[in-house]
Amino acid sequence: MRLCLIGAVLVFVPLGGQPAGFNYDEAKVPQYTLPDPLVMADGTAVTTAAMWKKQRRPEILELFAENVYGHTPKAKIRLRTEVLEIDKTAHGGTATRKQVRVWFGPAADAPYMDLLMYFPNGVKGKVPAFLGLNFGGNHTVQPDAEIRVTKSWVSNKAADFKASEKDRGAGQSRWPVDAVLKRGYAVVTAYYGDIDPDFDDGFKNGVQPLFYRAGQTKPEANEWGSLGAWAWGLSRAMDMLEKEKEIDASKVVLHGHSRLGKAALWAGAQDERFAIVISNDSGEGGAALARRKFGETTARINTSFPHWFDGNFKKYNEKEDSLPVDQHMLLALIAPRPLYVNSAVEDAWADPKGEFLGALGADPVYRLLGTPGLLVKEQPAVEKPTIDGTIGYHIRQGKHDVTGYDWEQWMNFADRHFHRAGK
Ligand code: GCU
């Protein structure tokens, strides 16, 4: 424990920077029983791939929509696009950079997201792509002077905070674009705040109002929050990639870090067009099992971020055991598509072991569907990735972050599953 002076407030922060007052002791993880992904709510055992597909998968999807992330509106919004820039000589001629503005709807003042894409030059045919949202605005992903600075709100600290030039390239350690292009993948990203600014404003901004019924002013208790909106935005990015002639839309790898890892998993669960889904340090509400009560808890996430999940999820504060699902079932919704989960040693808040156990809990579904699933039963040692199964996993040294090491493993996993020769 050390004492920190933050503003004028004294707070206790345990060593390692994890929030104090939560369980970080494996011995204090309560006894728990996970719901069985292969038993229907009425007790019927799921014994065939067809039963999973036609009955249990839709049932679990509905449980997550109702109780956790909220239902995503079914109405389709017409996307309006404008190409902002194409530079075929980016990054010393090795890449083509393309920026496209995507308006959600026909209105002149409709909300929009800017898609930033990099394609490797000199590659024959369509290329697979890595798609993920970013935290700071597209201009933080690379130092390129041409990347548009987002006009949307940034940072969850102040509602009026605007992005600026000074952040250009600030997030590039998380986006090793040149290394990914060299391996023959395109890189595609959008700023999550373009889709729904990440603060609790009662859902006045972002995409939710586009779907309100006459007189509705906020989502119902079983309708989406911000995570649902970010996931929806990822599907709209996928709509665009299906039209991009350089991209092989059957080989889009969806990834996300932390809250954006939660959003990526929810997007991948709902939208089966994503070929591979990667969760980086997604923790509570992502890959980590809620019932372990290790690190972040349901009550804490619902209090700190009341806008992320749906209203119904608040019923499970301090009552994780009464949830009809746990996060291994979210991961199972990705099956039989390859899934990769990764953790970091110093990221106790996200419960690395709980993330691994989430992946392990999804394994029976992968096996029922005829894939090898996860090839290990115990959490692998630090920096000993398991990538050969349909579920991959690694834990690396260091903190809550995205690193070049993480990307290397993701690309190895994607090469393996896309039957590419590799580096
Ligand atoms: C907070 C939150 C986590 C989340 C993380 C992030 O730490 O408690 O659930 O994953 O922010 O998105 O960076």
Side-chain angles (χ1 to χ4, degrees), residues 257-335:
H257 170 57
S258 209
R259 69 198 68 183
L260 300 181
K262 307 180 211 296
L265 289 171
W266 180 227
Q270 296 175 92
D271 188 338
E272 296 182 275
R273 292 175 297 171
F274 295 112
I276 295 182
V277 183
I278 298 172
S279 149
N280 189 89
D281 303 349
S282 63
E284 181 76 17
L289 296 176
R291 280 170 175 74
R292 276 173 49 81
K293 300 184 189 173
F294 188 105
E296 189 168 24
T297 61
T298 306
R300 163 64 187 240
I301 206 166
N302 275 332
T303 312
S304 307
F305 306 101
H307 56 295
W308 282 4
F309 298 86
D310 74 359
N312 284 341
F313 194 47
K314 276 75 183 171
K315 291 189 216 153
Y316 301 99
N317 289 351
E318 318 283 357
K319 294 195 188 101
E320 287 85 349
D321 284 316
S322 59
L323 268 166
V325 289
D326 210 318
Q327 298 305 113
H328 62 307
M329 293 158 78
L330 177 71
L331 301 183
L333 293 174
I334 314 286

Side-chain angles (χ1 to χ4, degrees), residues 16-31:
Q18 311 297 319
F22 295 86
N23 177 38
Y24 300 105
D25 181 353
E26 201 53 44
K28 293 198 179 122
V29 169
Q31 289 280 345

Side-chain angles (χ1 to χ4, degrees), residues 170-245:
Q172 63 177 309
S173 68
R174 290 182 173 187
W175 295 89
V177 168
D178 290 325
V180 184
L181 292 170
K182 247 195 205 130
R183 301 256 314 235
Y185 289 90
V187 177
V188 182
T189 186
Y191 172 50
Y192 85 131
D194 278 358
I195 304 159
D196 190 16
D198 189 2
F199 65 98
D200 183 18
D201 72 329
F203 300 107
K204 289 183 196 64
N205 60 25
V207 295
Q208 287 91 354
L210 296 174
F211 296 90
Y212 289 161
R213 297 178 305 276
Q216 187 178 9
T217 55
K218 60 178 182 4
E220 303 294 338
N222 67 353
E223 290 180 333
W224 61 351
S226 295
L227 285 167
W230 300 326
W232 177 90
L234 284 165
S235 286
R236 301 297 67 78
M238 185 67 189
D239 297 343
M240 299 306 303
L241 295 188
E242 287 186 320
K243 296 197 185 117
E244 243 352 292
K245 62 179 187 340

